[in-house]
Amino acid sequence: MEDLHSSNYSSTAILTEEVQTEEPVANPLPRAVLRMNNHVLLDGTWRFAHDDADVGLSEEWAMGHNYEHTAQWPGSVEEHLAQARGQQGTAAWHDQVVVWYEREFNLPELDEPQARSMMQLTFGACGYETRVWLNGQQLKTIEGEDVHFGEYTSFTYELDESNLHLVNRLTVRIADTMDAETPRGKQESHVYKRGGIWYQTYTGAVRSVWLEVVERNRLRSRVGVVSIVEDQLVRFNMTLRIHDPGHYTIRLQVYDPQTPDRTAPLATSDFPLYLEPGQWQQRLVLEVPSAELWSPEAPHRYRLVAQLIDSDGYEAQIETLFGLRKIESRGRYVYLNNEAVYLDGILYQPGQATFEEMQRHMHAMKALGCNLVRVHIAGVDPRIYNLADELGLLLWVEVPSPHSSTPRSRENHRAELLRLVTLSETHPSIIIWSLYNEDWGAQDIATNPETRQYIIDMYHFMQISYPQFLVVDNDGWHHISSRGRMKSDLLTAHLYTPDLTRWQELLDRLVGGEMDGTAAFPLVVGDPFFYRRQVPLVVSEWGGFGFPDYGGPQDAESRTNSIRAFKQELRSRPIAGDVYTQATNIEDERNGLIDPHTGELSVPTGLLASRQMQYLK
């Protein structure tokens, strides 16, 4: 396995406290883009208090408070509350929760002055509602938020030198509710209660927090990649953070990651520009001659070195790996790099799995013969995306859904989508985004024109802003037709039956273009839609064998035989792909093929694989 992260060194100021001197074997930070510095992880033991009466703000706990408990960060509010209350096996909170964390950290020594640099504090993920104080002074995120909303993506604070001491006190307040209007995925809410397919909440301080030195004028740790494979062009979408106005040059260099010598890039180009203070987005295009494309069979990647160079020649640098690939929905099939590909998928719900367990799951899904993993309405550690890039696994990712359909839920949904997609558009493995699933958070999609218009608008936004992805409007059924045109790049259906004859009947009706009577609800709403094989069909959920609500075989041998028989029926029809449900057991859903802890398979390897072209007829 190639180690992208071994070059996590500093070319400018270095943090000398708490940093390992040996070369790291992996990057512990949940992000795709490397910054050329060391970091101080603030993980570990924090002081902890639960604020059941929600008085911490009015009583100014951030100025000083007597904390009765401790908690390990990262970790969930649920486990921290249970430990503090001496509870086991009971629900940690209902309705709403407010908790506080605090710790000290020493100001790291720097081996050169901070004239060009500043301290930056980043939370890998925390929420749903997070406020942060440094030495009693409330911080604002780089985006200017006093309160950060969202629990699935990272957010960052620049630390004012005037508020930094030799010993610093960091205070964090986290609040969450079971509000059905917030993006929740399959966590319980006031609408969907824990049990069956709805899970216990898992929120709070769920990923690492770290301190690092960054340049005042720099490229941020987010890079969008769009390939024009026919012309060997790559469009990089860069985000710049500027404090000092002036003339700058962005220099892009592309290297083969297998070549240790960086003196001869495969491609390089300079882009001079004048920048005012603020945060800016800039599109840059680079030709990469003789580029090899990324695919599941050959997940070839290149290394991008991007530098922001000021008028004095000072270089602020970031790095990332990327791949050139094109995904397209055309006619009956999905095309990867202009070749038809059958999507052998599996539904993946990681739940509370550790990063190490998720790594084992990814390797196991590859061993099953899958080329696609549908990460089901969950925010995962971004390092999993890196692993998918490396293994050659296509990813279908989804916005964690709200549980009610209101103007506020749509506003929250849009904000969550933008946070997620902004920090994940580096990865060639991610090919599909779902906006909604089975009407969750869009329950009135069939009757409310406002709900449909919102989804239509977001579909068009994604098409224009993120053309490197396919977009599904509402997975499973109730796709939107406007003037006879689908507002989804795939026509998907969730079909559950344990009976093979019924399965054959449903598939025949599906490929025959029957929009009613196949899935649980009509496949299309809005204006009339006439299929005529003009859009790829994907059975995006099927199986569920072993889960009581779906029936089917219980033991491994009969389950294997049923999967083979059901899969063969899919392969023999003009269907573009399928997603078996599911990879691992999770809470009440006992229908997995992979041990959630060890990653061992309960069925033969290669069970879900197809010979790609044989079935593209």
Side-chain angles (χ1 to χ4, degrees), residues 592-609:
L593 307 181
I594 301 167
D595 187 283
H597 303 296
T598 68
E600 294 181 2
L601 298 180
S602 62
V603 294
T605 60
L607 180 62
L608 296 178

Side-chain angles (χ1 to χ4, degrees), residues 52 64 105 132 163 184 253 344 499 590:
D52 292 342
F105 66 88
V132 180
N163 191 35
R184 311 193 57 78
Q253 297 172 301
D344 286 308
D499 181 77
R590 319 302 293 177

